[in-house]
Amino acid sequence: MLLTQALRAAAALRPALRPPPRRLLPLSSSSSSSISSFSSASPRALLPPPLARSLWQLGRGGGGGGRTALLRPRRGSAGGVSCGCGGLHTEGDKAFAQFLTDEIKEERKIQKHKALPKVSGGWELEVHGTEARLVRKVPGEKITVTFNINNSIPPSADDEPQEGQKADEQEPDLTSTPNFVVEVIKDDTKQTLVLDCHYPEDEIGSEGEEESDIFTIREVSFQPTGESDWKDTNYTLNTDSLDWALYDHLMDFLADRGVDNTFADELIELSTALEHQEYIKFLEDLKSFVKCQ
């Protein structure tokens, strides 16, 4: 009996606890600023608590996946290849890997040297990635020739094929003609004679000219022996305005130490083989990067 009376009293009091209906009032300047500040509030503050919580739970996925559960495409969706490794692999990646496989096979077919060719004259070869060094010792002196195969292939001329010849028959073999630096070190001095050499484009492949040098000396300087960083404050002789007699003596100086046209020809062969070898290795690394492992 007492419980029934208490419930009825509570029901009688419930309407009195409801807030009165709100009246629509004309907007004042202060009200406009309040609405403006409300509209500029952060989206998280505007979301109702149940909705914000549901998005947070969806993002977590119940397994600590973070935002990736919302961004990761579904397995088996269009354009994706499921491999089980968790990485992104598309049909384009699959076609790219197949293309690289075929390209590697073709490059191996036309590879002239499976091993790097040797340079005659007692030169010892040291290779560090794309950089190679040839070392030769003579009584009282040590000669080193250093070159890098990066960007060593000159751009080919876009010549149109002649009548009766196919386009692929016109394509010349790619030849690597890198700049190279000759260092002459004497045992009894603390200075090294450095000669910066290169292959002029108009001299490559030229025939019919007797005793024509296929390489030229571009700069000459002295540098401290044993230091890897050369000093820019040391005087550097540019051969563009050099007396021809002095230039000829410098070329003879190199020839007496084994750096002549024969050496320059063999260096081109070595550099071309090394460049092709590194190119194939790059294709293999690119294939491994694109293809799922």
Side-chain angles (χ1 to χ4, degrees):
M1 185 64 179
L2 294 177
L3 179 59
T4 302
Q5 292 177 355
L7 292 175
R8 288 177 179 177
L13 293 175
R14 183 172 300 171
L17 297 177
R18 294 178 180 175
R22 297 182 179 179
R23 296 168 53 191
L24 296 177
L25 300 177
L27 294 177
S28 62
S29 59
S30 60
S31 300
S32 300
S33 61
S34 300
I35 293 176
S36 176
S37 61
F38 176 79
S39 62
S40 62
S42 62
R44 181 171 296 184
L46 299 179
L47 285 175
L51 179 59
R53 183 177 180 182
S54 64
L55 288 175
W56 179 77
Q57 291 175 344
L58 179 61
R60 289 178 60 86
R67 298 182 184 177
T68 56
L70 293 174
L71 301 178
R72 182 184 301 152
R74 296 180 180 179
R75 294 183 180 272
S77 60
V81 179
S82 177
C83 63
C85 71
L88 175 63
H89 299 287
T90 65
E91 291 293 344
D93 294 344
K94 184 177 179 181
F96 192 11
Q98 183 59 46
F99 168 80
L100 291 172
T101 300
D102 298 337
E103 186 73 9
I104 292 170
K105 291 180 180 179
E106 292 299 323
E107 291 296 329
R108 290 197 178 280
K109 287 181 181 179
I110 63 176
Q111 188 176 14
K112 294 182 179 180
H113 300 281
K114 303 302 178 182
L116 295 178
K118 295 182 179 181
V119 178
S120 61
W123 294 91
E124 298 180 2
L125 176 63
E126 302 174 1
V127 178
H128 303 281
T130 60
E131 184 176 278
R133 174 175 296 181
L134 293 165
V135 181
R136 182 172 185 259
K137 294 182 179 180
V138 296
E141 293 182 1
K142 176 182 176 183
I143 302 98
T144 65
V145 178
T146 307
F147 63 92
N148 196 306
I149 62 169
N150 284 334
N151 303 317
S152 62
I153 297 181
S156 58
D158 297 332
D159 296 333
E160 296 182 358
Q162 299 177 0
E163 295 181 1
Q165 293 181 334
K166 297 181 180 180
D168 53 355
E169 295 177 353
Q170 287 283 323
E171 293 181 0
D173 294 335
L174 296 179
T175 302
S176 172
T177 55
N179 299 335
F180 59 94
V181 177
V182 182
E183 300 176 53
V184 180
I185 306 171
K186 288 185 176 290
D187 295 340
D188 56 350
T189 62
K190 297 182 179 180
Q191 286 185 321
T192 299
L193 181 64
V194 179
L195 302 99
D196 185 5
C197 305
H198 75 118
Y199 294 93
E201 294 184 6
D202 55 350
E203 295 292 338
I204 301 300
S206 60
E207 297 180 358
E209 296 183 4
E210 297 181 359
E211 299 181 358
S212 176
D213 296 320
I214 64 174
F215 74 97
T216 61
I217 302 173
R218 185 160 50 187
E219 293 180 348
V220 184
S221 66
F222 279 107
Q223 297 295 336
T225 302
E227 294 188 10
S228 57
D229 296 332
W230 292 341
K231 297 181 179 180
D232 295 335
T233 55
N234 289 9
Y235 178 76
T236 299
L237 176 66
N238 192 304
T239 59
D240 290 341
S241 57
L242 190 64
D243 179 79
W244 279 107
L246 176 56
Y247 181 84
D248 288 341
H249 281 295
L250 288 173
M251 292 295 291
D252 292 340
F253 178 84
L254 288 180
D256 292 340
R257 285 154 181 81
V259 182
D260 51 11
N261 279 349
T262 301
F263 171 86
D265 277 329
E266 294 180 356
L267 189 144
I268 291 178
E269 184 179 4
L270 170 62
S271 179
T272 302
L274 178 59
E275 197 280 336
H276 198 189
Q277 175 180 291
E278 289 296 316
Y279 175 66
I280 295 176
K281 182 178 181 298
F282 171 81
L283 293 179
E284 293 173 342
D285 293 341
L286 184 58
K287 174 188 172 183
S288 300
F289 187 84
V290 173
K291 185 179 179 181
C292 177
Q293 298 299 321

